[in-house]
Amino acid sequence: MLNKLSLLNISHTDKQPSLITNMSHCELEEVTKHIDDKISFVKRLLELRAVAKDPDKRTFLVKIEQDVNAINCLLDRFERYVAQQRDLLKHLKELDEFFKEDVQNAQHLKENIPPHMPRREQPAPSEQLAVSSRPADVQAAPQEQEPPRKPSRAVIKEMEFITVQEFDSIPQYMKGRVTYDQLNAAVKSINVAVTGKYKILHQPVKSLTNASRKLHQRFKDQETKDTKGQFFVVEEDLRDLAQLKVDKRFVGMLNMLRHCQRLKELRGGGLTRYALL
């Protein structure tokens, strides 16, 4: 060991005469260990060189070399696979952030549904009670035993709400100061009037009250051969059934709905009929 340190000291005497004296104890030990490792490596190489000269052992060394090369190939493939998985994980994290943002947007939409949008009607409490009080054996009965229900003949058509794209397509001179929500509020009111009118028309006359019979007759008088199969209302229906004020502003909204292919006008007999499309 002292001989190694002496050689080290002699090789650096001209350039750094005080290198050893300035090194700490830990640094000196690291240098010593490094030199020992190098010497051990050289000895091992010399031993292997001597072994390689033996034909029997040489064959064994060649086999070891082949195994080492195979292991290196496997390690290279493993590194490539790990890199691919790392990229895939990065992509999945980006997708996760993307879907989280979509969930937040969906939750925001759910909590901020515009008032004019249709909502699914909840069953009445009496209906829920009737369903819950039904015996278990009746609930479990197969559907084949139930009599087929006849399709309802009293299906009342409703006007679809205006989309944002459709609202943006309306010319500005036609929109004026009417907002998107106001236009869809008008759609909702028209649907109220149409539903109220045709509920009365679809009921038997004998089951109606005197006031409803008068309305029923008025609705029948409004019909012509052009209105057959159509769902329509007139200004009087809008005032009576939806409490709408049919002024110049509302007539402008009717024109916008005509532009969006939601209704058409049928004139005749001194009446303007607004038929749903």
Side-chain angles (χ1 to χ4, degrees):
M1 183 65 67
L2 293 177
N3 292 332
K4 297 174 186 176
L5 293 178
S6 299
L7 291 173
L8 181 62
N9 190 18
I10 292 172
S11 62
H12 294 79
T13 301
D14 296 335
K15 297 180 180 180
Q16 297 177 354
S18 60
L19 178 62
I20 300 299
T21 56
N22 293 333
M23 293 177 64
S24 65
H25 179 69
C26 294
E27 293 174 342
L28 188 60
E29 288 184 350
E30 291 178 0
V31 172
T32 304
K33 184 178 182 302
H34 178 71
I35 294 174
D36 286 339
D37 292 340
K38 291 294 184 181
I39 293 173
S40 299
F41 180 70
V42 172
K43 288 182 178 180
R44 192 174 302 111
L45 288 177
L46 293 174
E47 291 174 357
L48 291 174
R49 184 179 179 183
V51 170
K53 295 179 180 180
D54 188 343
D56 296 335
K57 296 180 179 179
R58 184 178 182 83
T59 304
F60 183 71
L61 289 175
V62 170
K63 182 63 172 62
I64 292 176
E65 181 184 7
Q66 293 174 352
D67 293 342
V68 170
N69 291 333
I71 292 173
N72 287 332
C73 292
L74 290 175
L75 289 176
D76 291 339
R77 292 175 56 187
F78 181 74
E79 288 178 356
R80 290 195 297 268
Y81 180 76
V82 169
Q84 293 175 358
Q85 294 300 314
R86 188 180 293 110
D87 294 338
L88 179 61
L89 179 61
K90 181 181 178 182
H91 181 64
L92 291 176
K93 287 182 178 179
E94 293 175 355
L95 284 178
D96 183 60
E97 294 297 328
F98 177 77
F99 286 126
K100 284 181 179 178
E101 184 179 354
D102 278 355
V103 170
Q104 292 176 357
N105 292 337
Q107 185 65 27
H108 175 76
L109 291 175
K110 180 181 178 181
E111 296 174 355
N112 298 274
I113 299 177
H116 61 267
M117 295 297 292
R119 297 174 181 268
R120 183 172 60 182
E121 296 182 358
Q122 298 292 336
S126 59
E127 295 178 0
Q128 293 180 348
L129 181 60
V131 172
S132 61
S133 60
R134 187 182 301 174
D137 55 345
V138 176
Q139 290 183 353
Q143 295 182 356
E144 290 76 12
Q145 296 180 1
E146 296 182 0
R149 297 181 180 180
K150 295 182 179 181
S152 175
R153 293 178 296 177
V155 177
I156 300 175
K157 185 176 182 178
E158 289 190 348
M159 184 185 301
E160 295 182 358
F161 287 98
I162 301 297
T163 64
V164 176
Q165 291 79 5
E166 290 175 321
F167 183 77
D168 292 338
S169 69
I170 301 174
Q172 186 60 41
Y173 75 87
M174 189 180 294
K175 285 192 290 190
R177 296 184 178 180
V178 176
T179 64
Y180 173 74
D181 290 337
Q182 290 171 344
L183 184 58
N184 275 317
V187 172
K188 184 177 181 181
S189 299
I190 293 172
N191 286 334
V192 170
V194 172
T195 302
K197 175 179 180 177
Y198 284 91
K199 277 185 178 180
I200 293 176
L201 286 174
H202 289 163
Q203 291 181 18
V205 179
K206 295 181 180 180
S207 65
L208 299 175
T209 62
N210 291 333
S212 297
R213 286 182 182 181
K214 292 180 181 180
L215 290 174
H216 187 279
Q217 185 59 45
R218 189 183 85 187
F219 299 154
K220 284 293 185 181
D221 294 340
Q222 296 171 357
E223 296 179 351
T224 65
K225 62 178 182 179
D226 295 330
T227 63
K228 186 176 181 180
Q230 304 279 348
F231 289 85
F232 70 92
V233 289
V234 300
E235 291 186 6
E236 190 176 7
D237 300 335
L238 295 173
R239 285 193 297 266
D240 295 345
L241 300 175
Q243 288 73 48
L244 280 174
K245 183 180 180 181
V246 185
D247 52 9
K248 183 178 179 181
R249 182 170 179 271
F250 186 77
V251 172
M253 287 192 280
L254 292 176
N255 290 332
M256 285 188 276
L257 294 175
R258 257 196 329 174
H259 175 81
C260 295
Q261 302 295 317
R262 290 298 191 275
L263 55 80
K264 65 180 179 179
E265 291 185 1
L266 299 174
R267 299 177 182 270
L271 291 175
T272 301
R273 301 164 180 83
Y274 302 100
L276 306 188
L277 292 177

PDB file of all heavy atoms in Angstrom, residues 235-253:
ATOM      1  N   GLU A 235    -103.752  33.447 -32.288  1.00  0.00           N
ATOM      2  CA  GLU A 235    -103.397  34.436 -31.260  1.00  0.00           C
ATOM      3  C   GLU A 235    -104.300  34.316 -30.038  1.00  0.00           C
ATOM      4  O   GLU A 235    -103.840  34.447 -28.898  1.00  0.00           O
ATOM      5  CB  GLU A 235    -103.481  35.850 -31.853  1.00  0.00           C
ATOM      6  CG  GLU A 235    -102.415  36.146 -32.887  1.00  0.00           C
ATOM      7  CD  GLU A 235    -102.445  37.589 -33.347  1.00  0.00           C
ATOM      8  OE1 GLU A 235    -103.233  38.368 -32.769  1.00  0.00           O
ATOM      9  OE2 GLU A 235    -101.703  37.932 -34.279  1.00  0.00           O
ATOM     10  N   GLU A 236    -105.574  34.075 -30.263  1.00  0.00           N
ATOM     11  CA  GLU A 236    -106.517  33.955 -29.142  1.00  0.00           C
ATOM     12  C   GLU A 236    -106.148  32.768 -28.253  1.00  0.00           C
ATOM     13  O   GLU A 236    -106.262  32.849 -27.021  1.00  0.00           O
ATOM     14  CB  GLU A 236    -107.943  33.815 -29.683  1.00  0.00           C
ATOM     15  CG  GLU A 236    -109.009  33.921 -28.606  1.00  0.00           C
ATOM     16  CD  GLU A 236    -110.414  33.874 -29.192  1.00  0.00           C
ATOM     17  OE1 GLU A 236    -110.552  33.627 -30.416  1.00  0.00           O
ATOM     18  OE2 GLU A 236    -111.383  34.071 -28.418  1.00  0.00           O
ATOM     19  N   ASP A 237    -105.691  31.670 -28.849  1.00  0.00           N
ATOM     20  CA  ASP A 237    -105.265  30.513 -28.057  1.00  0.00           C
ATOM     21  C   ASP A 237    -104.056  30.861 -27.200  1.00  0.00           C
ATOM     22  O   ASP A 237    -103.965  30.448 -26.034  1.00  0.00           O
ATOM     23  CB  ASP A 237    -104.921  29.339 -28.984  1.00  0.00           C
ATOM     24  CG  ASP A 237    -106.111  28.910 -29.830  1.00  0.00           C
ATOM     25  OD1 ASP A 237    -107.253  29.147 -29.410  1.00  0.00           O
ATOM     26  OD2 ASP A 237    -105.867  28.346 -30.918  1.00  0.00           O
ATOM     27  N   LEU A 238    -103.113  31.603 -27.775  1.00  0.00           N
ATOM     28  CA  LEU A 238    -101.910  31.987 -27.033  1.00  0.00           C
ATOM     29  C   LEU A 238    -102.266  32.878 -25.849  1.00  0.00           C
ATOM     30  O   LEU A 238    -101.673  32.760 -24.769  1.00  0.00           O
ATOM     31  CB  LEU A 238    -100.925  32.700 -27.960  1.00  0.00           C
ATOM     32  CG  LEU A 238    -100.348  31.844 -29.108  1.00  0.00           C
ATOM     33  CD1 LEU A 238     -99.537  32.706 -30.051  1.00  0.00           C
ATOM     34  CD2 LEU A 238     -99.469  30.721 -28.549  1.00  0.00           C
ATOM     35  N   ARG A 239    -103.249  33.772 -26.044  1.00  0.00           N
ATOM     36  CA  ARG A 239    -103.635  34.662 -24.933  1.00  0.00           C
ATOM     37  C   ARG A 239    -104.373  33.897 -23.844  1.00  0.00           C
ATOM     38  O   ARG A 239    -104.114  34.081 -22.648  1.00  0.00           O
ATOM     39  CB  ARG A 239    -104.501  35.793 -25.470  1.00  0.00           C
ATOM     40  CG  ARG A 239    -103.726  36.867 -26.227  1.00  0.00           C
ATOM     41  CD  ARG A 239    -104.592  38.098 -26.436  1.00  0.00           C
ATOM     42  NE  ARG A 239    -105.755  37.795 -27.268  1.00  0.00           N
ATOM     43  CZ  ARG A 239    -105.789  37.972 -28.597  1.00  0.00           C
ATOM     44  NH1 ARG A 239    -104.718  38.446 -29.215  1.00  0.00           N
ATOM     45  NH2 ARG A 239    -106.878  37.676 -29.273  1.00  0.00           N
ATOM     46  N   ASP A 240    -105.290  32.991 -24.238  1.00  0.00           N
ATOM     47  CA  ASP A 240    -106.143  32.323 -23.251  1.00  0.00           C
ATOM     48  C   ASP A 240    -105.438  31.159 -22.557  1.00  0.00           C
ATOM     49  O   ASP A 240    -105.630  30.950 -21.350  1.00  0.00           O
ATOM     50  CB  ASP A 240    -107.420  31.816 -23.927  1.00  0.00           C
ATOM     51  CG  ASP A 240    -108.291  32.955 -24.449  1.00  0.00           C
ATOM     52  OD1 ASP A 240    -108.037  34.116 -24.033  1.00  0.00           O
ATOM     53  OD2 ASP A 240    -109.195  32.698 -25.265  1.00  0.00           O
ATOM     54  N   LEU A 241    -104.654  30.394 -23.301  1.00  0.00           N
ATOM     55  CA  LEU A 241    -104.086  29.169 -22.755  1.00  0.00           C
ATOM     56  C   LEU A 241    -102.679  29.347 -22.200  1.00  0.00           C
ATOM     57  O   LEU A 241    -102.254  28.567 -21.342  1.00  0.00           O
ATOM     58  CB  LEU A 241    -104.061  28.083 -23.829  1.00  0.00           C
ATOM     59  CG  LEU A 241    -105.430  27.698 -24.404  1.00  0.00           C
ATOM     60  CD1 LEU A 241    -105.271  26.700 -25.534  1.00  0.00           C
ATOM     61  CD2 LEU A 241    -106.339  27.134 -23.318  1.00  0.00           C
ATOM     62  N   ALA A 242    -101.932  30.322 -22.691  1.00  0.00           N
ATOM     63  CA  ALA A 242    -100.558  30.518 -22.221  1.00  0.00           C
ATOM     64  C   ALA A 242    -100.331  31.899 -21.630  1.00  0.00           C
ATOM     65  O   ALA A 242     -99.203  32.221 -21.255  1.00  0.00           O
ATOM     66  CB  ALA A 242     -99.575  30.296 -23.371  1.00  0.00           C
ATOM     67  N   GLN A 243    -101.415  32.705 -21.533  1.00  0.00           N
ATOM     68  CA  GLN A 243    -101.332  34.054 -20.962  1.00  0.00           C
ATOM     69  C   GLN A 243    -100.211  34.870 -21.624  1.00  0.00           C
ATOM     70  O   GLN A 243     -99.417  35.557 -20.974  1.00  0.00           O
ATOM     71  CB  GLN A 243    -101.109  34.027 -19.445  1.00  0.00           C
ATOM     72  CG  GLN A 243    -102.324  33.599 -18.651  1.00  0.00           C
ATOM     73  CD  GLN A 243    -102.618  32.109 -18.765  1.00  0.00           C
ATOM     74  OE1 GLN A 243    -101.717  31.297 -18.604  1.00  0.00           O
ATOM     75  NE2 GLN A 243    -103.860  31.750 -19.017  1.00  0.00           N
ATOM     76  N   LEU A 244    -100.135  34.749 -22.952  1.00  0.00           N
ATOM     77  CA  LEU A 244     -99.128  35.482 -23.709  1.00  0.00           C
ATOM     78  C   LEU A 244     -99.718  36.776 -24.249  1.00  0.00           C
ATOM     79  O   LEU A 244    -100.879  36.827 -24.672  1.00  0.00           O
ATOM     80  CB  LEU A 244     -98.609  34.645 -24.882  1.00  0.00           C
ATOM     81  CG  LEU A 244     -97.563  33.578 -24.566  1.00  0.00           C
ATOM     82  CD1 LEU A 244     -97.285  32.745 -25.812  1.00  0.00           C
ATOM     83  CD2 LEU A 244     -96.280  34.213 -24.073  1.00  0.00           C
ATOM     84  N   LYS A 245     -98.877  37.787 -24.266  1.00  0.00           N
ATOM     85  CA  LYS A 245     -99.252  39.059 -24.858  1.00  0.00           C
ATOM     86  C   LYS A 245     -98.711  39.087 -26.288  1.00  0.00           C
ATOM     87  O   LYS A 245     -97.509  39.197 -26.508  1.00  0.00           O
ATOM     88  CB  LYS A 245     -98.680  40.223 -24.044  1.00  0.00           C
ATOM     89  CG  LYS A 245     -99.095  41.585 -24.567  1.00  0.00           C
ATOM     90  CD  LYS A 245     -98.488  42.682 -23.697  1.00  0.00           C
ATOM     91  CE  LYS A 245     -98.895  44.052 -24.228  1.00  0.00           C
ATOM     92  NZ  LYS A 245     -98.305  45.151 -23.422  1.00  0.00           N
ATOM     93  N   VAL A 246     -99.616  38.944 -27.236  1.00  0.00           N
ATOM     94  CA  VAL A 246     -99.205  38.858 -28.632  1.00  0.00           C
ATOM     95  C   VAL A 246     -99.032  40.277 -29.169  1.00  0.00           C
ATOM     96  O   VAL A 246     -99.929  40.852 -29.793  1.00  0.00           O
ATOM     97  CB  VAL A 246    -100.227  38.070 -29.473  1.00  0.00           C
ATOM     98  CG1 VAL A 246     -99.719  37.872 -30.901  1.00  0.00           C
ATOM     99  CG2 VAL A 246    -100.517  36.724 -28.831  1.00  0.00           C
ATOM    100  N   ASP A 247     -97.873  40.862 -28.874  1.00  0.00           N
ATOM    101  CA  ASP A 247     -97.567  42.218 -29.323  1.00  0.00           C
ATOM    102  C   ASP A 247     -96.568  42.158 -30.475  1.00  0.00           C
ATOM    103  O   ASP A 247     -96.246  41.085 -31.007  1.00  0.00           O
ATOM    104  CB  ASP A 247     -97.019  43.054 -28.164  1.00  0.00           C
ATOM    105  CG  ASP A 247     -95.863  42.369 -27.455  1.00  0.00           C
ATOM    106  OD1 ASP A 247     -95.379  41.336 -27.974  1.00  0.00           O
ATOM    107  OD2 ASP A 247     -95.430  42.851 -26.397  1.00  0.00           O
ATOM    108  N   LYS A 248     -96.057  43.317 -30.845  1.00  0.00           N
ATOM    109  CA  LYS A 248     -95.122  43.395 -31.970  1.00  0.00           C
ATOM    110  C   LYS A 248     -93.852  42.599 -31.683  1.00  0.00           C
ATOM    111  O   LYS A 248     -93.307  41.941 -32.574  1.00  0.00           O
ATOM    112  CB  LYS A 248     -94.784  44.858 -32.238  1.00  0.00           C
ATOM    113  CG  LYS A 248     -93.876  45.063 -33.440  1.00  0.00           C
ATOM    114  CD  LYS A 248     -93.628  46.540 -33.680  1.00  0.00           C
ATOM    115  CE  LYS A 248     -92.706  46.748 -34.875  1.00  0.00           C
ATOM    116  NZ  LYS A 248     -92.440  48.195 -35.117  1.00  0.00           N
ATOM    117  N   ARG A 249     -93.401  42.619 -30.427  1.00  0.00           N
ATOM    118  CA  ARG A 249     -92.178  41.902 -30.056  1.00  0.00           C
ATOM    119  C   ARG A 249     -92.386  40.399 -30.193  1.00  0.00           C
ATOM    120  O   ARG A 249     -91.510  39.674 -30.700  1.00  0.00           O
ATOM    121  CB  ARG A 249     -91.776  42.266 -28.632  1.00  0.00           C
ATOM    122  CG  ARG A 249     -90.491  41.628 -28.147  1.00  0.00           C
ATOM    123  CD  ARG A 249     -90.088  42.264 -26.818  1.00  0.00           C
ATOM    124  NE  ARG A 249     -88.874  41.669 -26.290  1.00  0.00           N
ATOM    125  CZ  ARG A 249     -88.849  40.611 -25.495  1.00  0.00           C
ATOM    126  NH1 ARG A 249     -89.991  40.013 -25.159  1.00  0.00           N
ATOM    127  NH2 ARG A 249     -87.707  40.121 -25.052  1.00  0.00           N
ATOM    128  N   PHE A 250     -93.542  39.894 -29.743  1.00  0.00           N
ATOM    129  CA  PHE A 250     -93.799  38.452 -29.828  1.00  0.00           C
ATOM    130  C   PHE A 250     -93.988  38.017 -31.276  1.00  0.00           C
ATOM    131  O   PHE A 250     -93.559  36.922 -31.666  1.00  0.00           O
ATOM    132  CB  PHE A 250     -95.041  38.098 -29.010  1.00  0.00           C
ATOM    133  CG  PHE A 250     -95.286  36.620 -28.919  1.00  0.00           C
ATOM    134  CD1 PHE A 250     -94.541  35.836 -28.059  1.00  0.00           C
ATOM    135  CD2 PHE A 250     -96.242  36.011 -29.720  1.00  0.00           C
ATOM    136  CE1 PHE A 250     -94.747  34.462 -27.985  1.00  0.00           C
ATOM    137  CE2 PHE A 250     -96.453  34.644 -29.645  1.00  0.00           C
ATOM    138  CZ  PHE A 250     -95.698  33.870 -28.775  1.00  0.00           C
ATOM    139  N   VAL A 251     -94.621  38.873 -32.092  1.00  0.00           N
ATOM    140  CA  VAL A 251     -94.755  38.546 -33.511  1.00  0.00           C
ATOM    141  C   VAL A 251     -93.376  38.435 -34.162  1.00  0.00           C
ATOM    142  O   VAL A 251     -93.140  37.582 -35.023  1.00  0.00           O
ATOM    143  CB  VAL A 251     -95.617  39.615 -34.216  1.00  0.00           C
ATOM    144  CG1 VAL A 251     -95.608  39.397 -35.731  1.00  0.00           C
ATOM    145  CG2 VAL A 251     -97.050  39.571 -33.703  1.00  0.00           C
ATOM    146  N   GLY A 252     -92.424  39.282 -33.712  1.00  0.00           N
ATOM    147  CA  GLY A 252     -91.060  39.171 -34.218  1.00  0.00           C
ATOM    148  C   GLY A 252     -90.435  37.833 -33.846  1.00  0.00           C
ATOM    149  O   GLY A 252     -89.700  37.230 -34.653  1.00  0.00           O
ATOM    150  N   MET A 253     -90.713  37.343 -32.636  1.00  0.00           N
ATOM    151  CA  MET A 253     -90.196  36.032 -32.236  1.00  0.00           C
ATOM    152  C   MET A 253     -90.839  34.908 -33.049  1.00  0.00           C
ATOM    153  O   MET A 253     -90.184  33.914 -33.377  1.00  0.00           O
ATOM    154  CB  MET A 253     -90.411  35.818 -30.732  1.00  0.00           C
ATOM    155  CG  MET A 253     -89.475  36.654 -29.874  1.00  0.00           C
ATOM    156  SD  MET A 253     -89.456  36.169 -28.137  1.00  0.00           S
ATOM    157  CE  MET A 253     -90.947  36.979 -27.575  1.00  0.00           C
TER     158      MET A 253
END
